[in-house]
Amino acid sequence: MNNAYCFCPNFLTRVPVDNIIEALISKKNSIFLDDKNKLMSEYSKKLQGAPDDFRLLTLLEFHISETQKITTKVNVPNVDSRFLLEALTGRKTLERKLLASADRDTHQAIVDELKEHNITKVFPHNFTQSYNSHLTRGFEYQEFKLELEHSLALMIGEKKARLENEYNSTLANCLKAKRYEVRDQTLHGKSSTGKTAGSLDLAIYDENLKTIIEPVRLKGGEEDPFYVHLNKLLDNYNPLRVEHTFLVVYYIGKRKSFTKFADDYETRLGKLDVTKLNQSSNWTFDSYTRAKSEHDSIRITEQVGSVNGSAFVCTHFFADFSD
């Protein structure tokens, strides 16, 4: 998917001209403009210095194809944050919308509205990353399952983390190192609790939300934490009803009891008590199947069912973090 940029005039003075050329000419990304040509007028005022400024202005005026230009009707009189927001929201497009901002503070007043319209802010330091899509990895379920197992295996080998938020941060960093786009789901408005960020789930994006990971630490067969986290993963934190989700259990009980813990956990999956789940939703649980694992310290079980008519595959990872 290509990008569609709306450039804050000050942004164009903060990045190398060659980067703008690469984004618009080489990569064929689109640019938002307004129907009264006010943005181009502001660009002309800003780009009046070095020869590179003239080169960029010439590029913007004469070397971008008409199909790359997304011209919108803007009623805001001055080119400010509201003007740029109206330009970005005035036309629907399947391209990813981005506001290129010179710094974090200038357009802070419209951050909530940018989030509401799924518009991403980019800055001079990460502009090139925004149009080099190969820097982030696409989501494919079977491949991701293997990478998640490998990440947990690395964590078990290191055994550096002790608190749940430390485990979660390490897991997120492992997946980021594998080039997945990892976000804390709460930071995107999905949480309805007051829990700290460390105890909340992780989300994997590939343009859109693709899967959610809900981690939990368990010492044994505690029922309440299990049902709370299962409910969060399949219902509370999943309003879009993404099909694939992952419940990652950090087992911190006695090492000799890990196999029994995993067996008992699977037994529970076969006879779930739906009265312990959100009673405003309709639940069905069809089957669970043990999947192949490369490590004896990690067990993987796939659970199939539906919530309110939407099918899901919840993959449970039990990872032995016992001392």
Side-chain angles (χ1 to χ4, degrees), residues 178-246:
K178 294 175 180 291
R179 296 188 295 109
Y180 288 108
E181 184 180 350
V182 185
R183 303 183 193 176
D184 186 308
Q185 190 75 333
T186 294
L187 299 181
H188 296 266
K190 300 294 190 262
S191 174
S192 59
T193 73
K195 290 181 177 291
T196 62
S199 66
L200 298 176
D201 52 7
L202 305 173
I204 304 297
Y205 280 72
D206 177 9
E207 296 178 359
N208 300 308
L209 175 65
K210 293 300 182 183
T211 192
I212 302 170
I213 305 167
E214 174 69 17
V216 57
R217 291 195 307 167
L218 293 177
K219 291 183 178 179
E222 307 98 309
E223 282 199 354
D224 288 347
F226 166 79
Y227 280 106
V228 166
H229 284 270
L230 186 66
N231 196 76
K232 284 167 57 180
L233 179 63
L234 298 180
D235 197 16
N236 289 356
Y237 279 27
N238 191 11
L240 298 180
R241 299 285 182 251
V242 294
E243 180 181 6
H244 292 288
T245 57
F246 295 85

Side-chain angles (χ1 to χ4, degrees), residues 17 21 47-59:
V17 170
I21 291 175
L47 301 171
Q48 292 181 350
D52 265 359
D53 290 348
F54 178 77
R55 184 161 65 105
L56 178 54
L57 188 59
T58 302
L59 163 74

Side-chain angles (χ1 to χ4, degrees), residues 141 145 226-227 229-231 233-234 242-247 265-274 277 283-291 300-307 310-318:
Y141 169 66
K145 187 169 65 172
F226 166 79
Y227 280 106
H229 284 270
L230 186 66
N231 196 76
L233 179 63
L234 298 180
V242 294
E243 180 181 6
H244 292 288
T245 57
F246 295 85
L247 203 160
Y265 189 108
E266 286 181 328
T267 298
R268 178 183 290 164
L269 292 181
K271 51 180 183 181
L272 287 171
D273 183 356
V274 295
L277 297 171
W283 301 82
T284 62
F285 296 95
D286 301 326
S287 64
Y288 70 90
T289 307
R290 189 180 303 182
I300 306 170
T301 302
E302 294 173 323
Q303 179 185 34
V304 177
S306 67
V307 181
S310 297
F312 69 78
V313 178
C314 180
T315 304
H316 299 254
F317 277 76
F318 326 128

Side-chain angles (χ1 to χ4, degrees), residues 13-29:
T13 67
R14 306 286 180 88
V15 296
V17 170
D18 287 341
N19 290 354
I20 304 292
I21 291 175
E22 183 179 15
L24 298 179
I25 302 301
S26 301
K27 302 292 186 179
K28 301 297 183 185
N29 290 294

